């Protein structure tokens, strides 16, 4: 079977690029090439200017792990909802400039697609250097690496190989430059398939409570399946993940969203025919609807509060 049939309804890399350009045009946005991947693919963001001038910026990024196609569907779902005149997106657009990155890791996406989703998880998750991009950010405050499972590995070939040094990869270095120039107030990084919202790791009581509120806003707005918040002031560790870097280095409210749920994934296939169908729902539509709702509520709530970084500073 060719990959297009095997992975339908998920688009090919070319299909995703065309759809992104089409949606950008429909919402009056512009395509911004903010860098180039290891294999020379453009790193593309859609910038949607606010209807009002001088608005804060928000960012929805997806697919930092190549196999997690559903995440990109949700990110583009925001643009599609805006194109279709969804009042929640029109409201958001009046309050903020929206940036969407449908694929942070286009090489991983292309590799997954070319293989029809059949292969080993580490090779689909990583960029073309075999690096887990979501372990490649600097650890806030120079925290020591954690030895907890999944926290990152120094061994090339491992699923969570963190790379030779922080921001060693063109995909993360380019995003870091974007963070610095655009100073996003809030961000969401979309993954699959745990059905959770994982805020940046913070230990200050007020920031921790703020994230609890933001995650609650997200979940309450989800019409089909509410995601639970995964956070702990004690057991979480810094592992070089994007949301921790965004919060602590760039003063952005930032969460990881794990679209799709473990239960739904196993209900879909007790034994998935490929790793791809473990991570992605056969029918993306209800999950896109579910999570676009959550994202609108989350961003709306985050726009009402002062950005972190100014938070604990004495008045
Ligand atoms: Zn992921």
């Amino acid at each position: 079977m060719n990959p297009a049939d095997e992975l339908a309804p998920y688009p090919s890399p070319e299909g995703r690029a065309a759809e992104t350009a089409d949606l950008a045009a429909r919402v009056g946005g512009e395509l911004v090439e903010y860098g180039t991947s290891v294999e020379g693919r453009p790193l593309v963001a859609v910038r949607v200017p606010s209807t009002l001038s001088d608005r804060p910026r928000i960012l929805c990024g997806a697919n930092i792990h190549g196999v997690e196609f559903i995440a990109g569907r949700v990110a583009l779902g925001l643009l599609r909802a805006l194109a279709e005149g969804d009042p929640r997106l029109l409201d958001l657009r009046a309050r903020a400039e929206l940036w969407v990155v449908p694929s942070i890791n286009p090489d991983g996406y292309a590799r997954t697609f070319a293989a029809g989703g059949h292969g080993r998880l580490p090779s689909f998750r990583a960029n073309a250097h075999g690096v887990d991009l979501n372990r490649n950010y600097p650890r806030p405050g120079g925290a020591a690496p954690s030895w907890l499972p999944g926290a990152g590995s120094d061994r090339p070939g491992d699923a969570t190989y963190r790379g030779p040094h922080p921001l060693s990869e063109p995909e993360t270095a380019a995003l870091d430059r974007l963070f610095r120039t655009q100073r996003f107030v809030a961000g969401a990084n979309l993954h699959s398939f745990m059905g959770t919202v994982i805020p940046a790791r913070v230990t200050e009581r007020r920031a921790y409570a703020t994230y609890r509120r933001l995650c609650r806003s997200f979940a309450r707005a989800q019409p089909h399946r509410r995601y639970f918040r995964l956070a702990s002031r004690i057991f979480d560790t810094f592992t070089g993940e994007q949301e921790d870097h965004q919060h602590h280095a760039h003063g952005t409210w930032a969460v990881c969203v794990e679209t799709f749920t473990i239960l739904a994934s196993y209900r879909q296939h007790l034994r998935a025919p490929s790793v791809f169908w473990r991570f992605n729902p056969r029918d993306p539509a209800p999950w896109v609807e579910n999570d676009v709702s959550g994202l609108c509520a989350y961003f709306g709530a985050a726009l009402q509060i002062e950005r972190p970084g100014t938070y604990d500073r004495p008045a």
Side-chain angles (χ1 to χ4, degrees):
M1 212 190 289
N2 75 47
D5 295 335
E6 195 143 9
L7 302 185
Y10 294 91
S12 67
E14 299 73 27
R16 188 198 66 230
E19 184 184 6
T20 303
D22 173 59
L23 285 170
R26 283 175 63 191
V27 301
E30 76 170 313
L31 291 178
V32 177
E33 263 190 53
Y34 64 90
T36 308
S37 73
V38 172
E39 291 176 342
R41 293 186 175 84
L43 302 173
V44 175
V46 178
R47 182 183 83 91
V48 186
S50 175
T51 36
L52 299 178
S53 61
D54 201 26
R55 294 283 104 183
R57 301 183 185 95
I58 56 178
L59 170 71
C60 180
N63 188 225
I64 194 168
H65 294 136
V67 71
E68 296 164 4
F69 281 32
I70 181 60
R73 302 313 300 159
V74 173
L76 289 178
L78 281 172
L79 296 179
R80 188 171 302 286
L82 180 58
E84 288 167 358
D86 185 318
R88 297 166 305 175
L89 267 299
L90 294 175
D91 176 58
L92 206 54
R93 186 186 190 161
R95 298 169 61 196
E97 177 173 299
L98 171 64
W99 286 68
V100 172
V101 179
S103 179
I104 293 171
N105 179 7
D107 294 352
Y109 188 107
R111 196 174 326 110
T112 304
F113 189 82
H118 292 281
R120 290 182 57 247
L121 180 58
S123 82
F124 290 162
R125 204 177 140 88
N127 77 344
H129 287 149
V131 174
D132 180 344
L133 297 174
N134 208 34
R135 301 291 182 277
N136 188 241
Y137 287 96
R139 287 184 294 275
S146 160
W147 299 104
L148 290 175
S153 155
D154 281 326
R155 221 176 24 209
D158 283 358
T160 59
Y161 173 50
R162 59 171 75 96
H165 59 83
L167 302 180
S168 59
E169 303 310 300
E171 294 89 354
T172 46
L175 260 189
D176 186 54
R177 282 195 301 275
L178 195 70
F179 297 157
R180 204 169 323 124
T181 55
Q182 302 304 326
R183 296 182 42 77
F184 298 105
V185 167
N189 310 314
L190 312 183
H191 294 249
S192 66
F193 63 98
M194 278 170 28
T196 51
V197 182
I198 309 171
R201 182 194 178 221
V202 292
T203 50
E204 320 86 76
R205 197 174 49 82
R206 284 181 63 191
Y208 190 80
T210 300
Y211 272 121
R212 186 166 50 214
R213 249 184 16 246
L214 291 174
C215 294
R216 199 177 293 152
S217 301
F218 187 105
R220 282 186 178 158
Q222 292 184 291
H224 305 307
R225 186 75 65 226
R226 290 181 174 189
Y227 297 163
F228 63 91
R229 177 179 60 108
L230 204 59
S232 164
R233 288 168 70 185
I234 300 155
F235 293 110
D236 198 5
T237 58
F238 289 130
T239 58
E241 288 169 311
Q242 188 173 308
E243 54 277 5
D244 291 339
H245 181 62
Q246 284 180 276
H247 180 103
H248 292 279
H250 295 288
T252 303
W253 294 111
V255 297
C256 157
V257 176
E258 292 266 356
T259 287
F260 200 28
T261 66
I262 294 173
L263 192 64
S265 174
Y266 280 89
R267 220 175 252 156
Q268 171 172 285
H269 293 293
L270 204 51
R271 296 183 56 183
S274 65
V275 65
F276 184 87
W277 291 116
R278 178 56 66 218
F279 280 81
N280 299 287
R282 291 277 177 183
D283 180 7
W287 298 96
V288 171
E289 190 182 34
N290 195 51
D291 293 5
V292 163
S293 287
L295 286 166
C296 287
Y298 161 75
F299 282 126
L303 282 165
Q304 287 176 344
I305 51 181
E306 217 178 322
R307 59 189 303 157
T310 56
Y311 215 79
D312 288 330
R313 218 177 277 160

